[in-house]
Amino acid sequence: MSSSSGTTPMEATATAEVDEKLYSRQLYVMGHEAQRRMMASRAVVIGLSGLGVEVSKNCILAGISGITLCDPFPATSYDLGGNFYLSEQHLNDNSGSRASLVCDSLSELNPYVDVSNDTTITQETLLDYSTNDAKNDSIVSELFSGGVTCVVVTIPLPDETIVALNRKCREANASFIYSVTAGVFGQVFCDFGDNFVCSDTNGNPPATSQLDSIILDDDGTVVVKVLEDGGRHGLETGDVVTFSRLQNAPEELVQEKKEYKVKFTGPYTFQLTDVSASGGGENTGTRAAQGYITQVKKPVTLHFKSYEELLPETPTTLSDFSKFDRPAFLHAAFRALTQYREQHGHELPKPGDIDSAKEILELARKIQTDDWDEKKERIVMQLASGSRAILSPMCAALGGMVGQEVLKACSGKFTPLSGFFYLDADEALPETMLSVEEVTPSSPSRYDSQIAVFGKTMQQKLLELRYFLVGAGAIGCEMLKNWALMGVGCGDKGHVYVTDMDRIEKSNLSRQFLFRNTDINHFKSACAARAVQGMNPSLKITAYQDKVAPDTEDIFGDDFYDNLDGVCTALDNVEARLYVDQRCLFYRLPMLESGTLGTKGNTQVVVPNLTENYGATRDPPEKSIPVCTLKNFPNQIQHTLQWARDYFEGEFKQTAEDVNAYLKNGEAYLDSLQPNTKLETLKTIQRALVRERPESLEDCVVWARLKFQDLFYNQIRQLLHNFPPDQLTSTGTKFWSGSKRCPNALSFDAVDECEDARLKNHYDFVVAAANLRAQI
């Protein structure tokens, strides 16, 4: 939903032009229309600790119209664990609120986004706000005065405040998101209103497939079967499809350009729910047909429940399919944590406070009265003990998710999360509670949050790590930021090495937040190293501009790898990943691998002697297209494209290369040819240099016209002579059926126009071929 005026993301438009150089990668995923909707949307972020600054950073980089920051609370040492714009200098009482401290730094990320700091809302407003609070309601209403698309709360607040803010968003037709972290545990709640219109539920291209047959059952049900050679149809119940280029299809059942709703019945079949016919008799059965099926993307209206409605219910959305029971008791644990905070002056338990942890466990038991075991009790106790901790990795992970939810609210694209979602990394926790001395910080520092969860001993190990980061792009920037906040490489013996041979381009600025306009054309690795040292001056980092490959093993050799504790790859190609993987195997180093593709991503942790390595499994090779299919039986657009490319390579590239090699090397070139290709190559050279050598542009035009006649008339007529349109196979079925589409020989017509492309294909082929012939 978009604003208090009732404008939805589907209706929102932006007057400003899209900066395609800046948002080029994002436009591939979102599209221009969704980007324009985002550029007409404004968000409010309440809470600028670690998670809040991550969400704000992601939304600003994505290019929404404006964002209002609201956080009247001062910075604490725990905030330094996740907020990359805060430092120890900001911990004194006179530094100001968290929002005021980070506002200027966030505004530098994107000059197109209006970043403002709201100073009207006080701590008391957020802690005391409730549904019937007229005084505070008038103050909160100011946040919605300019029209708000989405409100995001990222700090723990009383349930009454969350309920009131959620209701306020529903009144203003705005989406509402509430997300908090507590150590290695995180919670997200989304309510996008009663009638949120989603223009595209998954962002994938419309599904396409080929028609194989139409089945009419005895009860009049019409079922469509697709060609299995083309893969699964990819449709779901409720999708809409159209048919095109139909052959032998009964018009009383399916017609071209008409829309049909489908019901999933199998990976290769679906039912047309709005079509029925009289079954029985001759009409019943399977009828072979040909044609193309295309999905029609339709907007979907989604209905959400409020925070107040869903809070008593048990959530079911999973983040890890190995933890089926996790959402239920984490929901109880976070509710118990909220109740504890409201009963203790809005304060969370101190690290290692066993009594407070037990109190929260008892509150959780009252909320969820069954299915408790020792492991669940330990997890709740550790959640309570580390609840003050703001960990950079958790803030980055949840910040990416919540940021994406904000973009969904602004653009109306992709299906949002609904209700509660929980994420945890309890595998990183010790098996038993750490002592109070181990988790209590000695003095305020950037690492207080990590000490509160993992202890001082583990923090010292992090400080002394020596890690190598390969790539300083989007993922590389995030990794360096996380490491700087965690203290990786910040000890006396610690060090971080980063290499990237690329220079910064403008398109990098929309997703690689360590870079600014002034960094364009400078090396990524050097600029990134300088930026993260500004976040944590204790970080020891060395930047390289060299490719990690066999020819740089004089730089990245035995001495280099023997001095490392691990390697992290942030690469954009498989070849480089495989090489680094082999290096890590040889030197027995752990490797952290990750990659993104649009809205999708993957991670792999490789540990020597424990997990398989990156190169142990490979993607299956792409299916090749048989030559007979390309030459005689093309039935997909990919086939025609491959045929055109192969013809271009052979006629306009390979021939020229063969001729040039012969003219340069003479007999030596002919002797180098394989015996099975020598005769054909000699004929090609003779044809190019003697028999068909053009002497004028007119000769090129004649040659092109004759090529058209040969390719699109003579060869097709010969094929139809060998296999007539009415030919039957040995089983009695039509030869031209299924994936074999009967072709039509083309008689040259200079003014004939393609129905789909509106191009004069006959004439254009001759013009293009003649020009190419003249150039070679």
Side-chain angles (χ1 to χ4, degrees):
M1 305 301 171
S2 181
S3 71
S4 56
S5 61
T7 305
T8 69
M10 290 289 290
E11 300 165 342
T13 57
T15 57
E17 288 295 321
V18 178
D19 188 337
E20 295 187 354
K21 288 186 178 180
L22 178 63
Y23 300 120
S24 59
R25 303 295 180 86
Q26 188 166 292
L27 289 172
Y28 297 150
V29 179
M30 303 298 293
H32 280 76
E33 186 58 36
Q35 183 66 37
R36 290 191 182 94
R37 292 181 195 139
M38 291 195 299
M39 292 169 63
S41 303
R42 189 168 73 89
V44 173
V45 176
I46 300 175
L48 272 299
S49 186
L51 179 56
V53 78
E54 285 280 358
V55 174
S56 301
K57 177 254 293 180
N58 293 333
C59 295
I60 292 168
L61 291 176
I64 64 174
S65 174
I67 186 167
T68 300
L69 310 178
C70 176
D71 191 341
F73 297 94
T76 70
S77 62
Y78 294 103
D79 296 322
L80 304 184
N83 191 317
F84 39 85
Y85 289 140
L86 294 179
S87 66
E88 285 89 344
Q89 298 174 353
H90 296 137
L91 299 183
N92 64 71
D93 295 334
N94 300 321
S95 293
S97 67
R98 286 182 296 212
S100 64
L101 293 172
V102 302
C103 184
D104 290 343
S105 297
L106 286 171
S107 64
E108 294 176 0
L109 293 174
N110 192 336
Y112 293 111
V113 180
D114 175 36
V115 182
S116 60
N117 174 29
D118 178 86
T119 58
T120 60
I121 292 183
T122 64
Q123 297 182 31
E124 290 72 21
T125 302
L126 291 178
L127 295 176
D128 299 336
Y129 182 47
S130 61
T131 304
N132 298 317
D133 185 355
K135 176 184 175 182
N136 287 323
D137 188 68
S138 62
I139 299 174
V140 173
S141 296
E142 290 297 315
L143 287 176
F144 297 84
S145 60
V148 174
T149 308
C150 185
V151 173
V152 187
V153 179
T154 62
I155 52 174
L157 292 176
D159 277 341
E160 280 196 359
T161 300
I162 298 301
V163 169
L165 286 171
N166 191 182
R167 287 185 179 179
K168 196 70 179 177
C169 286
R170 283 183 161 246
E171 293 172 4
N173 203 25
S175 300
F176 176 76
I177 301 173
Y178 177 47
S179 181
V180 291
T181 64
V184 297
F185 303 91
Q187 174 194 62
V188 182
F189 170 80
C190 293
D191 173 18
F192 284 19
D194 286 328
N195 297 288
F196 179 80
V197 179
C198 182
S199 62
D200 187 344
T201 58
N202 55 28
N204 295 329
T208 59
S209 51
Q210 286 181 263
L211 178 62
D212 177 80
S213 57
I214 296 176
I215 306 166
L216 179 61
D217 291 338
D218 291 331
D219 59 359
T221 300
V222 178
V223 176
V224 175
K225 184 177 186 299
V226 303
L227 277 175
E228 296 188 12
D229 291 346
R232 301 174 178 226
H233 54 65
L235 300 171
E236 301 176 356
T237 298
D239 285 342
V240 177
V241 299
T242 60
F243 295 86
S244 60
R245 301 177 186 255
L246 292 172
Q247 294 182 13
N248 303 321
E251 291 187 9
E252 66 274 13
L253 298 182
V254 292
Q255 299 173 14
E256 292 190 5
K257 299 182 179 180
K258 183 178 178 181
E259 295 184 353
Y260 298 89
K261 283 188 177 181
V262 307
K263 177 183 178 182
F264 178 88
T265 57
Y268 303 103
T269 60
F270 59 84
Q271 178 187 337
L272 302 180
T273 58
D274 45 5
V275 175
S276 61
S278 56
E282 301 178 336
N283 295 328
T284 305
T286 302
R287 181 168 177 175
Q290 292 181 318
Y292 295 92
I293 306 163
T294 305
Q295 179 189 12
V296 180
K297 293 270 188 170
K298 294 284 188 180
V300 177
T301 300
L302 304 175
H303 309 287
F304 292 78
K305 290 184 178 181
S306 68
Y307 183 85
E308 188 175 19
E309 292 175 289
L310 288 179
L311 189 61
E313 299 183 9
T314 301
T316 57
T317 304
L318 293 172
S319 62
D320 188 335
F321 287 98
S322 67
K323 303 175 180 178
F324 287 99
D325 59 345
R326 196 59 55 90
F329 82 84
L330 282 184
H331 185 63
F334 270 92
R335 288 185 63 189
L337 192 64
T338 301
Q339 292 179 12
Y340 174 92
R341 196 175 63 248
E342 293 176 2
Q343 295 170 9
H344 293 79
H346 305 293
E347 290 289 334
L348 290 166
K350 293 180 179 180
D353 187 342
I354 299 298
D355 293 335
S356 295
K358 289 181 178 179
E359 184 179 342
I360 291 173
L361 176 60
E362 288 305 313
L363 290 171
R365 283 177 170 278
K366 293 178 181 178
I367 295 170
Q368 183 180 334
T369 57
D370 52 42
D371 295 330
W372 286 93
D373 56 31
E374 185 176 339
K375 181 178 180 180
K376 293 179 181 179
E377 291 177 355
R378 173 185 63 80
I379 289 175
V380 173
M381 294 275 287
Q382 289 179 317
L383 183 153
S385 176
S387 58
R388 292 191 179 191
I390 309 296
L391 301 179
S392 175
M394 288 301 297
C395 292
L398 276 184
M401 292 181 58
V402 174
Q404 188 64 45
E405 296 307 305
V406 176
L407 300 189
K408 293 175 185 178
C410 295
S411 67
K413 190 169 184 178
F414 301 107
T415 304
L417 286 173
S418 181
F420 285 96
F421 175 85
Y422 290 93
L423 181 70
D424 72 87
D426 78 278
E427 298 86 354
L429 296 173
E431 288 297 325
T432 58
M433 295 278 291
L434 298 175
S435 66
V436 176
E437 295 75 15
E438 181 69 11
V439 297
T440 301
S442 303
S443 60
S445 76
R446 178 173 291 281
Y447 313 122
D448 285 357
S449 286
Q450 292 191 161
I451 291 173
V453 176
F454 303 112
K456 297 175 183 177
T457 304
M458 177 60 71
Q459 182 58 41
Q460 188 59 39
K461 290 181 180 179
L462 290 173
L463 293 172
E464 304 300 337
L465 281 178
R466 304 177 68 87
Y467 247 80
F468 182 31
L469 176 66
V470 188
I475 293 177
C477 285
E478 292 294 322
M479 292 304 300
L480 287 175
K481 174 258 297 177
N482 291 341
W483 290 354
L485 299 187
M486 294 164 61
V488 173
C490 296
D492 295 336
K493 298 179 181 179
H495 208 100
V496 170
Y497 305 90
V498 57
T499 187
D500 196 314
M501 59 191 298
D502 291 341
R503 293 178 183 267
I504 298 166
E505 302 173 357
K506 185 175 182 179
S507 63
N508 300 142
L509 303 183
S510 66
R511 62 194 188 282
Q512 298 169 22
F513 85 107
L514 295 181
F515 308 139
R516 301 292 180 268
N517 274 309
T518 54
D519 296 324
I520 292 176
N521 292 327
H522 291 79
F523 282 109
K524 289 184 176 181
S525 57
C527 294
R530 184 173 62 250
V532 293
Q533 275 190 317
M535 295 177 182
N536 189 344
S538 300
L539 176 65
K540 298 177 179 63
I541 185 168
T542 300
Y544 296 91
Q545 290 81 44
D546 301 283
K547 181 179 181 180
V548 181
D551 56 357
T552 59
E553 289 183 3
D554 58 323
I555 302 172
F556 308 115
D558 293 346
D559 292 341
F560 180 80
Y561 284 103
D562 286 342
N563 199 33
L564 295 178
D565 294 306
V567 177
C568 177
T569 58
L571 294 160
D572 58 1
N573 67 89
V574 174
E575 181 183 356
R577 287 183 171 100
L578 290 172
Y579 175 78
V580 176
D581 178 55
Q582 289 302 310
R583 294 287 85 193
C584 291
L585 273 178
F586 183 80
Y587 294 104
R588 304 173 70 83
L589 290 171
M591 186 178 89
L592 311 178
E593 151 61 17
S594 60
T596 62
L597 180 64
T599 58
K600 303 175 179 66
N602 71 280
T603 60
Q604 182 178 357
V605 177
V606 179
V607 181
N609 303 320
L610 186 62
T611 67
E612 69 174 10
N613 63 300
Y614 174 80
T617 56
R618 305 283 184 91
D619 292 334
E622 294 185 10
K623 292 177 63 177
S624 59
I625 306 171
V627 175
C628 63
T629 299
L630 291 179
K631 187 174 178 62
N632 298 324
F633 310 118
N635 55 78
Q636 298 179 21
I637 190 64
Q638 294 94 319
H639 298 164
T640 59
L641 291 172
Q642 187 64 49
W643 175 88
R645 180 175 177 176
D646 290 350
Y647 180 77
F648 181 93
E649 291 277 332
E651 195 67 56
F652 301 112
K653 182 175 181 289
Q654 190 61 50
T655 298
E657 290 177 348
D658 291 340
V659 170
N660 290 336
Y662 172 72
L663 293 175
K664 182 178 180 180
N665 302 310
E667 294 294 330
Y669 171 69
L670 298 179
D671 292 340
S672 68
L673 296 174
Q674 296 292 329
N676 59 334
T677 62
K678 181 176 291 188
L679 180 60
E680 188 62 34
T681 303
L682 281 170
K683 287 181 178 180
T684 300
I685 294 173
Q686 182 196 39
R687 188 168 62 248
L689 292 178
V690 182
R691 289 171 42 211
E692 298 180 3
R693 181 173 182 173
E695 298 181 357
S696 64
L697 182 59
E698 287 77 8
D699 290 344
C700 296
V701 174
V702 171
W703 175 86
R705 173 65 182 85
L706 292 176
K707 279 295 178 183
F708 180 95
Q709 191 70 16
D710 178 52
L711 292 171
F712 305 115
Y713 184 84
N714 295 347
Q715 292 186 21
I716 302 301
R717 292 288 296 174
Q718 183 62 49
L719 182 64
L720 292 175
H721 174 75
N722 296 335
F723 304 104
D726 57 353
Q727 177 154 330
L728 301 178
T729 66
S730 59
T731 60
T733 60
K734 285 187 175 183
F735 177 82
W736 294 106
S737 62
S739 62
K740 295 186 178 69
R741 296 182 63 83
C742 187
N744 296 313
L746 299 179
S747 296
F748 183 80
D749 184 348
V751 297
D752 180 73
E753 195 173 74
C754 173
E755 180 181 348
D756 294 330
R758 312 303 296 175
L759 298 174
K760 296 180 179 179
N761 287 355
H762 300 192
Y763 173 79
D764 289 341
F765 174 87
V766 173
V767 171
N771 285 326
L772 288 168
R773 179 72 169 171
Q775 289 181 28
I776 64 171

